[in-house]
Amino acid sequence: MLDNTTATSSALNTEQLLTVDTPTLCKLLCCGRYTAIQIGDLAHARIVTNSRVLWSVQRIKEYVYKIAC
């Protein structure tokens, strides 16, 4: 299992991550919390389990590549 220090200290190697938490999503997108959540929601990448929110890295990448063109 990856903890936050592993995910963030390895320069956010997203090739190995399936999901990330909101602070890591902010770092991945290089933006603030509000914008990261907006992008995640537009990408339909939100995964809710109990009270925890995770974000699908694959959906985020696909959405960002799509809007970048």
Side-chain angles (χ1 to χ4, degrees):
M1 180 171 171
L2 293 174
D3 59 88
N4 280 345
T5 57
T6 304
T8 56
S9 66
S10 65
L12 293 174
N13 186 358
T14 59
E15 298 300 318
Q16 298 176 352
L17 299 175
L18 295 176
T19 62
V20 293
D21 58 5
T22 304
T24 307
L25 180 64
C26 294
K27 291 176 185 175
L28 179 67
L29 294 172
C30 298
C31 63
R33 182 180 178 84
Y34 181 79
T35 303
I37 291 172
Q38 278 188 325
I39 291 170
D41 285 338
L42 288 170
H44 304 285
R46 184 187 297 250
I47 301 167
V48 179
T49 57
N50 297 327
S51 63
R52 185 166 184 178
V53 176
L54 297 173
W55 303 94
S56 168
V57 173
Q58 180 179 352
R59 287 195 177 185
I60 296 291
K61 283 182 176 182
E62 290 171 359
Y63 177 76
V64 170
Y65 293 146
K66 180 178 146 187
I67 64 170
C69 296

